[in-house]
Amino acid sequence: MVGSLAGKVDTFIDNPYISRRHLSIEWNGQHWQIKDLSRNGTWVNGKRIASGDYIPLTVGDLVQLAGEDGVALIVENLAPPCDLLLPMGQGRDLSKAIELQAVNLIPSEQSPEWYVEQDSKTAQWQAQRIISPQAPQALSHNDIIECREGSWQLFCARDYAPTIEKRTADACITDSYLKFDVSLDEETTDLDVVSAEVSHNLGIRAHNYLLLLLARHRVDDIARGLTSCNQGWVPNELLVRELGLEPGHLNIQIYRARQQLAKVLPHINHEKFVERRGTTLRLGCSQFTIVKGGNVEYQSLDSKTRPIIIPR
């Protein structure tokens, strides 16, 4: 909403010819459109639009509010709406807004203070301080995240978007299986992800060892006879001790593991790569092979029978 009613519109314009609620800008699921709600009118590329009519926008359009005595806007970007963290404070620079991905380190990867992730089923945002042992807390539209060098306010685009048709879900990482290849001294861990019978190598990364430990805990629970839904849940404190990490680095490793998977397999829903329940974590994949020093340490039944195609 664009208008002159301070505190009640998304874009405030201080101009006597601009109505309190002058213009709505909406995403209809396919493109951006505007609707005039004003007394003094709105023009697009020199043509006045009928009040109440929806007009689709294109890049380069000139939108004039209240004629020559009002304000002119130029359409520069028509990307779909996304959830953002907006900088707070006087004179805030909205160009520094953070476009949220499925998982995020806030305010930056270089100096993270918060781990922020979204539940793909409910679209609920959750935030956890990097150094906190507490469970993540739910975030809602307009909630504030406090950082050392400033504060950020959550803007949820879906709160302003119309209901759109439900899409078929992407393939999930839990439908894939993993192959861990760890050195005899456990200094290096290579990882392959097999999805749709095609193997994708994720290389040797430090965070792969975290995934390996989670896989081994799942193996231990299988041996104990636990049901699938109860297998593999490990307290964060135990993982920190096993990995020899500072408490805050655990979330950073989870972030990097999921980010790497998203880059290699962008079509895969990677949220359950590492699942979270309160202050416990587990590997979401139940099918995997662990090879240590060239010898098979563990191999799930399904991974013994699946064919693998290695891309050339």
Side-chain angles (χ1 to χ4, degrees):
M1 185 69 66
V2 179
S4 61
L5 188 58
K8 300 296 183 181
V9 293
D10 301 302
T11 302
F12 168 69
I13 298 177
D14 186 11
N15 184 294
Y17 298 102
I18 301 297
S19 297
R20 293 189 299 171
R21 291 182 173 87
H22 193 106
L23 177 73
S24 72
I25 305 175
E26 301 176 13
W27 174 257
N28 70 357
Q30 296 182 329
H31 58 255
W32 289 99
Q33 57 189 13
I34 62 173
K35 181 171 68 172
D36 177 60
L37 306 170
S38 70
R39 174 180 297 180
N40 291 326
T42 300
W43 285 254
V44 177
N45 298 326
K47 181 180 179 180
R48 183 166 183 169
I49 64 178
S51 180
D53 285 355
Y54 283 104
I55 304 298
L57 294 173
T58 59
V59 173
D61 280 349
L62 175 64
V63 181
Q64 186 82 33
L65 282 65
E68 294 182 358
D69 294 320
V71 174
L73 306 172
I74 297 178
V75 178
E76 296 183 350
N77 190 319
L78 290 173
C82 63
D83 292 354
L84 302 168
L85 283 176
L86 303 174
M88 300 293 292
Q90 293 184 344
R92 63 179 182 174
D93 183 359
L94 294 182
S95 67
K96 295 181 179 179
I98 300 173
E99 183 176 324
L100 293 173
Q101 310 299 318
V103 291
N104 310 267
L105 293 178
I106 304 300
S108 68
E109 290 188 42
Q110 294 72 32
S111 303
E113 297 179 45
W114 290 87
Y115 178 81
V116 178
E117 65 177 339
Q118 187 179 44
D119 186 306
S120 64
K121 291 183 180 179
T122 65
Q124 174 68 59
W125 286 106
Q126 295 184 325
Q128 182 182 33
R129 280 196 177 274
I130 290 293
I131 60 174
S132 172
Q134 302 300 318
Q137 62 190 63
L139 289 178
S140 300
H141 180 67
N142 285 336
D143 279 354
I144 305 296
I145 291 179
E146 301 281 353
C147 296
R148 286 189 295 270
E149 297 183 1
S151 302
W152 301 83
Q153 184 176 37
L154 177 63
F155 175 85
C156 293
R158 65 181 178 276
D159 286 0
Y160 296 90
T163 301
I164 60 175
E165 184 178 354
K166 204 172 181 182
R167 298 186 309 169
T168 302
D170 294 335
C172 184
I173 184 60
T174 56
D175 299 324
S176 306
Y177 72 91
L178 313 178
K179 179 183 177 182
F180 295 94
D181 192 346
V182 58
S183 62
L184 195 60
D185 58 6
E186 305 212 351
E187 288 295 318
T188 61
T189 306
D190 195 13
L191 177 61
D192 288 280
V193 176
V194 180
S195 175
E197 301 181 357
V198 177
S199 179
H200 305 267
N201 182 251
L202 272 62
I204 297 173
R205 299 289 189 275
H207 54 253
N208 289 347
Y209 194 69
L210 163 64
L211 303 174
L212 173 65
L213 288 182
L214 290 172
R216 283 172 167 166
H217 280 286
R218 191 148 193 163
V219 172
D220 291 342
D221 287 346
I222 292 172
R224 292 167 55 200
L226 297 185
T227 60
S228 178
C229 63
N230 291 315
Q231 293 169 6
W233 293 105
V234 188
N236 293 354
E237 296 87 346
L238 177 57
L239 283 172
V240 167
R241 291 199 301 270
E242 290 179 340
L243 291 165
L245 293 175
E246 295 292 329
H249 289 176
L250 185 61
N251 279 330
I252 295 175
Q253 290 215 358
I254 295 170
Y255 167 82
R256 289 173 177 166
R258 290 177 62 177
Q259 284 292 91
Q260 186 192 15
L261 181 67
K263 291 178 181 178
V264 176
L265 292 166
H267 61 286
I268 290 285
N269 181 339
H270 60 269
E271 179 187 338
K272 291 188 176 182
F273 197 24
V274 177
E275 296 181 284
R276 191 186 299 272
R277 187 175 67 185
T279 57
T280 63
L281 299 170
R282 79 165 178 177
L283 181 69
C285 300
S286 60
Q287 302 296 327
F288 51 84
T289 297
I290 301 174
V291 177
K292 178 176 178 178
N295 297 314
V296 176
E297 177 180 302
Y298 173 82
Q299 187 172 36
S300 60
L301 291 176
D302 193 42
S303 62
K304 294 179 181 179
T305 58
R306 287 189 180 186
I308 301 174
I309 301 171
I310 300 176
R312 295 179 180 272

